[in-house]
Amino acid sequence: MASRASSQGLFFRFHIDLTLLLGLITLLAIGQVILYSASGENVALMQRQGIRLGIAFVVMLMIAQISPDTMRRWSPVLFIIGTIMLVAVLLVGTKVLGAQRWLNLGLFRFQPSEMMKLAVPMMLAWYLSSGHIPPRNRHLLVALIILLLPVLLIAKQPDLGTSLLVSSAGLFVIFMAGVSWRLILGFAFAGLAFTIPMWLFLMRDYQRQRVLTMLNPESDPLGSGYHIIQSKIAIGSGGTFGKGWLNGTQSHLEFLPERHTDFIFSVFAEEFGFSGILVLLSIYLLVIFRGIYITTQAHGTFARLLGASIVLTFLVYIFVNIGMVSGILPVVGVPLPLVSYGGTSIVTLMAGFGILMSIHTHRKLLAH
Amino acid sequence: MAQRQHLKDHFIEQRIFHNRSIVAILFTIILFGILAFRLFVLQINNHEHFTTLSQNNRVSVQATPPTRGLIYDRNGIILAENLPSYTLQIIPEQTSDIDNLVNELSLLVNLREVDIKKFKKEVRRKRRFEGIPLRFRLTDEEVAIISVNLHRLPGVEIKAQLSRFYPYGRETSHIVGYVGRINEKELKSLPFTNYSGTNHTGKLGIEKSYEALLHGQVGYQKVETNVRGRVLRVLERNNPVPGNDLYLNLDINLQKVAIDAFADKRGALVAIDPENGHVLAMISMPDYDANLFVNGIDSKTYNALNTSWERPLYNRTILGGYPPGSTTKPFFALAGLENNTIQLDHEIFCPGFYQLKGKAHKYRDWKKWGHGKTDISKSIVQSCDVFYYDLAFQLGIDKMHQFMTSFGFGKRSGIDILGERSGLMPSREWKKRVRKQVWFPGETVIAGIGQGYVLVTPLQLALGTATLANGGKHFQPQLVNAIQRKEDHVPRQVVPQMIRKIPIKRQENWNEIYHGMTEVIHGARGTARRLNKPDMRYKIAGKTGTAQVFSVAQDATYKEEELEERLKDHALFMAFAPVKNPKIAIAVVVENGGHGGSVAAPIAGEVIEAYLSQFSDEELNNPSRKSPVTPMKKSAPPTKVPPSAVDPDNTASSPLHKHKEHEEHVHG
């Protein structure tokens, strides 16, 4: 007990939350293990991902050292820079696969929308924490404008997945700030009423197609329904205990598309089965509950709002990804957090957990 | 501003935040519950369903085509074999631009338009990962050129496979026929599963009529494939059963002798073993190389063959209808004797023409001044027309029709290749049905010398001769002698099918006809006496015939040399030998050949000589007639060709051949 307390103390001094850290490391390790199988035992790919994980880890540790108060002060600056960059993306961005998401900064390409996953909740937390809690209606209106501006800019790229995550991050801040249930229900109905014109005028053809094939994937088995059908086959054929690591036929015989990125969960489900899934979901739950615990212990409105938003966005990540690969949500291009292959999303996620650690470990300093 | 009412706000804030945190926890639990439930449904409830789908994804069944059965002649000389050949094929999914690839390949190897056309048709039909043949039978040099360039030709493959080859492509084209690429029509009628993996099917001749036996049973292998269909490993194998080998009655050397004897003449020859109906030789001239058709003939060559006035694609032995002319005389003489219309001592006076009572029309004899006193033997030896005008009139068309039909004239013989014509042996009933007219006595008269409506195929003439030679045993002519199934040790004989035994009323009647026919060759005044040689080991019985191509007006002078080549008479000859123990019956038709005795008979003589040279003197002259049916293995049931394999009405079987009736041969 004593040693645990002292090591806890040591980690605490370096602004690290041990429980969160263990959960994250376990998830990243699981990610590497499945990636080895999903990539067809491609070691080079794993090395690339390993470097990204290292960078993400360093980013997390660095951010954990910054106090929430400093973050709060820098929030508007970060938001304004991010918004300007989003406008720049639409004007001079690099187009990849039909979507204009990247800014070419000479040395590397940068995805401003990724930064907004944190900048938007920070901005909203800054704005709402400086006002009355629960916020008054006019503050809510301003908050909604702050939220909608980047969301629409991102949706325009188009990047449905990210705009969904950014808007949920923002909405969670507003929700945690205590907006009345009456308003929430009102907006929910308004939102429902808004879906019809959105379906007709705002959504692009490919997005509509995705929703349609989600509702009935068998209608186009060789076209847009193919991903979902193959993914469901992979998950379903996994059964209780799975086909075993490296033995997934759906993934190894390449029936499963995008198996090391968005559909990596299907590979996991095929090879480790329902029992493996329960373990994975438990670790995710552990991280989420630890996150919620941290926010309840947090000092200061900004820290609470931001922390809760980060945790709940992480939940949305998980739900949307697993929901889409298992065929209950449309395929919107959201990776499985910390497990899917891909650099940017992991760096942003780990930065978010860095913020959570900072919130947790800077409490005592703030208390006085 | 945050300092306003700090304490109170702090408590409210704290309470709100705690409430919302509880909502967040509930929210988390609900969402995870939904996911867990969904995954439970997929992985536990529907596990079997998805396992099946996953199996179907990865395991595919591939057809292994069987090796086609070989065809041998009666002495075991191979007539149709499978040679390894290299096929150029493209896997569509491995290339982005097929048209461009085909263009590039056409720079390296010779690609014909038909090849490309067929290829593009198949691209639409087959799956994207299946190799689709573009060119068959690459030369070694072409294989080398493509192999060197293979690295820059994605999706191109050179596949070694077996390709049909006919070593005697010319000599056997009309009989053995050929295989060709399966066309869309055939695709619908052929058993789909058994032909998955097979590219070729029999189009003509034996290859077509015995398709079901030659093809074999397709084999399968269950393989694990990835999403692009690439085979990763074989899970299960079920080997194909090769097709049956066929042994023909045909003697390829005899066939060659006949072809050499024909030289550049047009016509047909059929030789049959009278003892069992086995077809020993069967040629239709001119011929063509069957190998041209195996992998798609180009349109230029095909058009040249198809439109040539010599009609090389036309199998005259079963399709050509010729007026038999005087070759019918021995049959009609026998008909008169057996029907008691005339007696053995019957004799007439031939003045050179014949008139029906009360009619002015003169039916001319070929010999302007007549033969004078003519008995049965002389009527055959010198081919007296008047004798048969008179005999026909006395017999009447009904008896003539009945008698000739029992020898197989006017109906399909049932030979085991497809598309046979029935010829025509006219009757009152036929004329009423087809011509909607009553029968005129004059028509009986000219039918008596094998003219008028009468049309026979060379096969029918040979068959009739065989039936005459063996004393009335009418066999179904048979090309295939035995079928070698892979599971058997010895080939199964095809049992000769005797259609009818014509009852002999008096043996003397038959002997009289044999005598007359023998005199045709060996008599001093026989029309085919040039076949008679002093040191012959056997005697031949035969009859010449000359069939008019068109009628000559009354009293007009018949000047052969003035007629164009194509309007010349057809020369006919029928014979069997040895007379004492017939081993070969033969019919020869030489189109526009002129006289049967001078043109057709020598060809028959050469074939008879070539065939009989294998027998000893004793065999040739031992008069004791053996049972015509070779004894079979008692355990083996009579092997009959399945009805589906031989369908005489299926003349559409060879779409490449536009058959036309030989209408120009019918004269009125």
Side-chain angles (χ1 to χ4, degrees), chain B residues 478-507:
Chain B
Q478 187 68 32
L479 280 163
V480 170
N481 174 279
I483 297 158
Q484 169 75 68
R485 299 193 304 175
K486 294 296 155 182
E487 61 266 35
D488 294 341
H489 292 293
V490 287
R492 289 183 181 212
Q493 299 287 136
V494 178
V495 177
Q497 296 287 306
M498 191 159 79
I499 295 170
R500 174 186 295 103
K501 169 73 179 79
I502 298 164
I504 298 177
K505 295 229 171 94
R506 286 179 65 196
Q507 186 60 47

Side-chain angles (χ1 to χ4, degrees), chain B residues 62-272:
Chain B
Q62 289 190 334
T64 325
T67 313
R68 198 175 175 84
L70 307 177
I71 302 176
Y72 300 94
D73 89 334
R74 69 184 296 120
N75 299 315
I77 296 171
I78 201 154
L79 302 182
E81 61 185 318
N82 305 309
L83 291 184
S85 79
Y86 295 98
T87 304
L88 176 63
Q89 57 180 27
I90 294 179
I91 301 168
E93 66 154 18
Q94 289 181 13
T95 174
S96 48
D97 187 351
I98 289 188
D99 291 335
N100 189 35
L101 192 62
V102 170
N103 282 342
E104 284 213 25
L105 283 169
S106 67
L107 299 176
L108 297 175
V109 297
N110 177 33
L111 291 180
R112 296 171 304 168
E113 228 171 275
V114 263
D115 297 326
I116 296 172
K117 232 188 201 163
K118 276 227 169 94
F119 169 77
K120 288 193 171 156
K121 228 180 226 170
E122 276 195 60
V123 168
R124 271 172 266 142
R125 195 161 65 77
K126 288 198 169 171
R127 283 181 291 184
R128 304 248 322 133
F129 60 78
E130 284 182 309
I132 295 166
L134 177 59
R135 249 282 317 267
F136 290 96
R137 215 171 275 178
L138 297 170
T139 63
D140 289 347
E141 199 180 323
E142 286 171 324
V143 171
I145 290 175
I146 293 170
S147 302
V148 167
N149 288 287
L150 217 49
H151 65 279
R152 55 179 197 88
L153 300 167
V156 172
E157 266 187 6
I158 295 173
K159 198 177 152 199
Q161 56 176 195
L162 294 174
S163 182
R164 201 65 158 171
F165 179 67
Y166 306 101
Y168 299 95
R170 281 200 159 276
E171 291 85 344
T172 62
S173 51
H174 289 292
I175 310 310
V176 172
Y178 49 81
V179 296
R181 304 279 294 275
I182 296 173
N183 62 33
E184 271 164 59
K185 205 175 120 200
E186 289 161 338
L187 204 64
K188 282 175 199 139
S189 59
L190 290 170
F192 180 78
T193 349
N194 203 22
Y195 278 78
S196 39
T198 305
N199 285 324
H200 290 78
T201 183
K203 299 275 185 180
L204 195 73
I206 298 283
E207 291 274 33
K208 165 129 188 126
S209 56
Y210 285 89
E211 174 66 27
L213 292 173
L214 285 167
H215 180 264
Q217 273 296 319
V218 71
Y220 291 98
Q221 49 181 16
K222 271 192 179 173
V223 293
E224 184 178 78
T225 60
N226 69 6
V227 67
R228 285 179 295 280
R230 184 169 302 287
V231 175
L232 302 177
R233 62 198 167 111
V234 178
L235 304 172
E236 201 183 308
R237 200 191 295 271
N238 182 5
N239 287 328
V241 180
N244 303 292
D245 294 342
L246 299 180
Y247 289 86
L248 302 191
N249 291 313
L250 213 65
D251 181 335
I252 188 64
N253 291 320
L254 198 62
Q255 191 90 345
K256 284 199 280 188
V257 167
I259 287 167
D260 290 345
F262 256 84
D264 57 352
K265 296 189 226 6
R266 279 169 291 117
L269 176 148
V270 179
I272 291 178

Side-chain angles (χ1 to χ4, degrees), chain A residues 296-312:
Chain A
T296 55
Q297 302 297 307
H299 290 181
T301 315
F302 173 80
R304 281 180 197 154
L305 295 182
L306 180 59
S309 163
I310 287 169
V311 175
L312 291 176

Side-chain angles (χ1 to χ4, degrees), chain A residues 130 133-134 172 175-176 178-179 181 184 226 230 232-233 235-240 243 249-250 253-255 265 269 273-274 277 281 284-285 288-289 292 295-296 301 304 312 315 318-319 322-323 326-328, chain B residues 1-2 4-5 9-10 12-14 16-18 20-21 23-25 27-32 34-44 46-48 50-51 53-55 57-58 224-228 232:
Chain A
S130 54
I133 295 289
F172 284 133
F175 171 77
M176 293 308 285
V179 65
W181 285 106
I184 293 173
Y226 181 81
Q230 294 301 336
K232 278 165 71 179
I233 293 174
I235 296 170
S237 61
T240 313
K243 297 175 185 172
T249 55
Q250 282 289 104
L253 302 177
E254 301 169 39
F255 289 100
F265 180 82
F274 191 64
I277 281 172
L281 291 184
Y284 274 130
L285 266 183
I288 289 170
F289 284 157
I292 290 175
T295 57
T296 55
T301 315
R304 281 180 197 154
L312 291 176
L315 167 68
I318 298 164
F319 183 72
I322 300 181
S326 63
I328 51 173
Chain B
M1 43 181 174
R4 287 171 296 144
Q5 299 172 302
D9 278 2
H10 186 70
I12 295 170
E13 221 187 292
Q14 197 79 293
I16 290 172
F17 195 78
H18 270 268
R20 293 290 151 111
S21 295
V23 172
I25 290 169
F27 185 59
T28 308
I29 290 170
I30 290 169
L31 290 193
F32 269 70
I34 292 173
L35 291 182
F37 175 74
R38 173 63 178 170
L39 294 165
F40 182 85
V41 168
L42 288 180
Q43 299 199 287
I44 311 292
N46 295 323
H47 172 57
E48 276 187 30
F50 287 113
T51 302
L53 291 180
S54 152
Q55 284 292 323
N57 256 350
R58 76 184 178 99
E224 184 178 78
T225 60
N226 69 6
V227 67
R228 285 179 295 280
L232 302 177

